[in-house]
Amino acid sequence: MSYEEWLIIIDRIKKNNVNLELLNKINNEEINDNISEMLIPKLEELVICKFEKAVNKVKNELENAFNDENYLDYVLVSFRKEINYIMELIKIKQIPTDKKVLLTYKIIDGTRLTYDALIKEADMIDPTGIFSMMIKNDRIKWSE
């Protein structure tokens, strides 16, 4: 795949939520040493962009989510899917191992901070603790 084709796919992944077809396409692509150095920063940017989008989506839905348990559950499940997709993006062979490690820690840390902020917000809004318990139960367990 050419560098231009990579850029098109990266752009499509940025714009879509979870596109397994595109993930599989880039996952099956062999490393091209000619474009590798230019591609790595673009892939890192893609991972960070997807993560920021996922966190912002959760933030934007908080008001509605804290009014309806079912909607909160939907938001949490969607967030989990996005994070799992991002973790799969990090695993593609075009990203060197050292970058994979850094990106993985960054996503794990950011996800934990996001869950902590959600729990804190839930505790302020819901004195019964139902929302907080839902968030704690739906948290991604990184040992999985």
Side-chain angles (χ1 to χ4, degrees), residues 56-74:
N56 287 334
K57 193 183 302 182
V58 170
K59 285 181 185 178
N60 292 339
E61 297 297 329
L62 276 185
E63 188 175 322
N64 294 328
F66 286 141
N67 288 323
D68 180 358
E69 289 177 34
N70 293 325
Y71 193 66
L72 176 60
D73 187 51
Y74 168 76

Side-chain angles (χ1 to χ4, degrees), residues 23-106:
L23 178 62
N24 288 333
K25 182 172 176 71
I26 62 173
N27 219 2
N28 294 327
E29 198 61 37
E30 291 302 317
I31 295 175
N32 182 341
D33 291 331
N34 295 330
I35 62 171
S36 189
E37 289 300 315
M38 295 183 300
L39 197 56
I40 293 167
K42 298 291 184 186
L43 292 168
E44 288 178 284
E45 179 187 323
L46 170 65
V47 168
I48 299 304
C49 179
K50 290 292 288 180
F51 179 71
E52 288 172 355
K53 246 176 137 174
V55 170
N56 287 334
K57 193 183 302 182
V58 170
K59 285 181 185 178
N60 292 339
E61 297 297 329
L62 276 185
E63 188 175 322
N64 294 328
F66 286 141
N67 288 323
D68 180 358
E69 289 177 34
N70 293 325
Y71 193 66
L72 176 60
D73 187 51
Y74 168 76
V75 168
L76 293 171
V77 168
S78 296
F79 182 65
R80 175 187 289 269
K81 284 181 182 177
E82 288 279 341
I83 297 303
N84 288 335
Y85 184 78
I86 291 166
M87 296 305 280
E88 290 302 314
L89 272 174
I90 292 172
K91 292 178 185 176
I92 66 171
K93 55 188 154 200
Q94 284 75 14
I95 299 176
T97 304
D98 60 330
K99 303 281 187 191
K100 286 180 185 182
V101 170
L102 290 173
L103 287 170
T104 299
Y105 283 129
K106 193 172 208 165

Side-chain angles (χ1 to χ4, degrees), residues 108-137:
I108 288 172
D109 191 44
T111 302
R112 285 185 178 143
L113 290 172
T114 302
Y115 279 122
D116 290 345
L118 288 173
I119 291 168
K120 186 176 179 180
E121 186 74 21
D123 287 341
M124 290 188 324
I125 291 173
D126 177 29
T128 64
I130 293 171
F131 292 135
S132 178
M133 187 60 69
M134 287 178 68
I135 296 166
K136 289 175 186 173
N137 288 339

